[in-house]
Amino acid sequence: MTDSATAPDFDYSAEARELLGFSRWWLIVAAGVMMGMVSPYQYVWSSIEGPLATSLGIPLPALGLVFTLFVVFQAGSQFPAGWWRDRYGPRRLTLLASVLVGGGYVGLAYATEVWQLYVLYSAGAVGVGIVYTIAVNTAIKWFPDRRGLTTGVGTMAFAAGSALFIPYVRANATPAGYADVLQTMGILMGACIFVGALVLQDPPQGWHTEVDTTSTGTDSDTGTGTGTGTGAEPEAKEPDGGVTHSTSTFTSKEMISTWQFWAMYAMFIGVSGAGLMLTAKIVSFAQNFEMATSVATASATVLPIAGGVGRLVIGDLSDRINRERAMAVSFVLLGLFLYLVVTFARLDMNLAFIAAVFLATFFWSPQYTLFPSVVGDYYGERHSSANYALLYSGKIWGGVFGGVITAWLVTQLDWTLTFVLGGTIALLSGIVALVLRPPKSGP
């Protein structure tokens, strides 16, 4: 394979501006706004499920499956969405997402049966998955020089964007007022995603010399063509702080034949499981230790803030240092702070407990910045949407651990041992990151 590493003085910004007619950062703004608009599906559900249950006259546990379906459809939709986007661009898919996301919330206002909630929230989750994979991979495709920072901007918006909605929702999400809340939010969400669809576009293949222009556009499912093959071992490029960019273009079939993918898949499940356990159960955890209601509320409130800041800060840092080292440090610290969450709860140290929750979330959330960046670094940007979507499917199993399995473990063990187990899984995932290195050649 020809070594097509980018010259050190390659001006990505100027080349992108010539192609777009405007700064490539406007694409990140559009992607960030769309991510913020879809965030209520994940982070506002806990505020609207009560009024929905009351309106339908059903017990709250009857809606427990709704969020599980959200995680499954949001994560599961990303591979087909990514496969399509890598071949046909982001616009039509994003327009579809505007209908699914906005229509899902508007439809909730008129739902009269539980099954309708399942269908509407699942349809909206597909739209969220489309927006998520398109936003993250817009950063990967247009910012090979700043992948950590730009994916951090998008995923930060997904984590923190809900903070703009929560005060409005909390003030109005009553059985009498929630319908207007849902309609207003649905229209706003759909409109913003629609506008974003008009802005987003993908760069042409080979727009910068780091891309292997000898690839013939292989199919992500079949792996046919000459994208990587078994030719000469490609050389890697380290443009900034030891961040390694592979000059190979891997299809999805080729990617899953590398041990690095499966190591990262296991890490993704472990870290997302530990983090989703914290996100889903922190209020119940605090209540179990008879901590004050204000402590539980404060702990839940800091989650999206810590998540947003962590994704941006660690993502930017990973552009400047070795990316694998950033993963190792972040995930090990997640595990250690989960231990401290347990310790401070048992010692009834309220402020320390809230701080530990904040820092655990701060070091958990960067997984959604670091993993897509590493996928782009290791396997190239041409099939990055489909490739990262395959890795992101690990969130499904992480969600199962954070929800159903955690609930079962609490009954079989106790809250302390369950959270310690989550911390240990996160710590081990960080250790695995130390053995990661770029694939040396195509399969």
Side-chain angles (χ1 to χ4, degrees), residues 241-307:
V243 176
T244 302
H245 292 179
S246 172
T247 58
S248 289
T249 296
F250 284 72
T251 65
S252 297
K253 184 176 181 179
E254 293 166 342
M255 178 185 69
I256 64 175
S257 70
T258 66
W259 67 264
Q260 288 92 339
F261 169 78
W262 293 107
M264 288 193 291
Y265 197 78
M267 291 167 59
F268 199 100
I269 294 173
V271 175
S272 63
L276 291 171
M277 174 192 71
L278 180 69
T279 301
K281 304 298 183 183
I282 190 59
V283 172
S284 298
F285 180 86
Q287 291 172 343
N288 175 76
F289 284 93
E290 299 182 347
M291 306 184 82
T293 301
S294 59
V295 174
T297 300
S299 299
T301 302
V302 302
L303 290 174
I305 299 171

Side-chain angles (χ1 to χ4, degrees), residues 101-249:
V101 172
Y105 248 62
V106 171
L108 290 177
Y110 299 97
T112 58
E113 302 287 345
V114 175
W115 68 265
Q116 294 170 356
L117 297 183
Y118 294 158
V119 172
L120 289 166
Y121 222 79
S122 297
V126 172
V128 174
I130 292 172
V131 169
Y132 195 102
T133 193
I134 284 176
V136 167
N137 286 283
T138 292
I140 292 175
K141 291 177 184 294
W142 281 104
F143 286 83
D145 52 329
R146 300 301 300 275
R147 283 176 177 146
L149 173 63
T150 51
T151 57
V153 170
T155 57
M156 176 191 70
F158 185 73
S162 58
L164 301 175
F165 290 97
I166 288 175
Y168 169 64
V169 173
R170 296 291 294 175
N172 297 281
T174 63
Y178 82 97
D180 288 339
V181 170
L182 295 172
Q183 291 178 55
T184 301
M185 290 177 62
I187 292 170
L188 178 63
M189 293 153 70
C192 289
I193 297 169
F194 181 88
V195 173
L198 303 180
V199 175
L200 294 183
Q201 57 182 286
D202 283 349
Q205 294 299 328
W207 75 282
H208 62 85
T209 54
E210 181 181 318
V211 174
D212 175 20
T213 55
T214 64
S215 175
T216 61
T218 62
D219 186 280
S220 288
D221 291 332
T222 63
T224 57
T226 59
T228 52
T230 57
E233 179 179 301
E235 298 182 19
K237 171 178 176 282
E238 296 188 14
D240 301 296
V243 176
T244 302
H245 292 179
S246 172
T247 58
S248 289
T249 296

